[in-house]
Amino acid sequence: QVQLVESGGGLAQAGDSLRLSCAASGRTFDNYPMAWFRQAPGKEREFVAGMRWNNGGINYVDSVKGRFTISRDSAKNSVYLQMNSLKPEDTAVYYCAATPLPPVIFDLPQEGGKYAYWGQGTQVTVSS
C-alpha cells in the first residue's frame, strides 16, 4: 500500500514561517511528479507548488512565488514545502500528492485529478 504522510502544519502569525514535510512509502516516486495542493474553506482545491523531476521542473502558483520553496529528497522519498512570509490568505489544508508518469511527459501536472496518490492533509492557519 502507498502512503503519503504530511507533517509540519500548525498555527502561525502573518510573517512567520512553516516547513511542511511529506514522506511517501510503499513505492518509489523517483523522477515522478510530486506536488503540494491546498484547499481553503469554501474554495476549490488549488495547485501550490510541484516538482516534475528529482532535481528540477519546478512550478509555483503566482501567489506564493518568492515566498514558498519546494524541495525533495529522493533518497528519503520525500517532498518539502518551506513557507516564508506567511499571509492570512495562505490558511488552508495542505495536501501532498504524487503520481507515476512516463518520462516523455515533461510537463508538471497542475490539476489534482492527474495525481494518483494523496496525503491526508495538514492544517495551516495564519492569523493577522
Side-chain angles (χ1 to χ4, degrees):
Q1 60 275 39
V2 177
Q3 283 192 307
L4 279 68
V5 180
E6 302 101 333
S7 61
L11 181 64
Q13 292 185 311
D16 285 355
S17 297
L18 288 173
R19 179 177 169 86
L20 306 183
S21 299
C22 174
S25 61
R27 70 161 297 160
T28 180
F29 290 99
D30 189 49
N31 280 317
Y32 286 152
M34 300 189 78
W36 291 93
F37 292 78
R38 67 187 180 188
Q39 187 165 25
K43 296 185 177 180
E44 295 184 351
R45 178 180 58 193
E46 70 169 344
F47 171 86
V48 179
M51 292 187 72
R52 174 62 183 87
W53 314 102
N54 288 354
N55 300 301
I58 294 173
N59 288 102
Y60 299 96
V61 67
D62 286 345
S63 61
V64 309
K65 286 182 178 178
R67 300 189 298 119
F68 291 10
T69 303
I70 189 171
S71 62
R72 60 197 286 178
D73 185 339
S74 59
K76 296 181 178 180
N77 212 19
S78 297
V79 63
Y80 310 93
L81 188 67
Q82 178 67 43
M83 305 185 296
N84 296 331
S85 302
L86 283 164
K87 302 176 180 180
E89 48 262 49
D90 295 319
T91 296
V93 177
Y94 284 71
Y95 300 90
C96 65
T99 191
L101 198 68
V104 295
I105 301 177
F106 57 87
D107 291 320
L108 176 74
Q110 297 185 28
E111 296 182 5
K114 299 295 185 181
Y115 286 82
Y117 301 103
W118 292 81
Q120 81 288 350
T122 185
Q123 176 71 48
V124 172
T125 302
V126 184
S127 62
S128 60

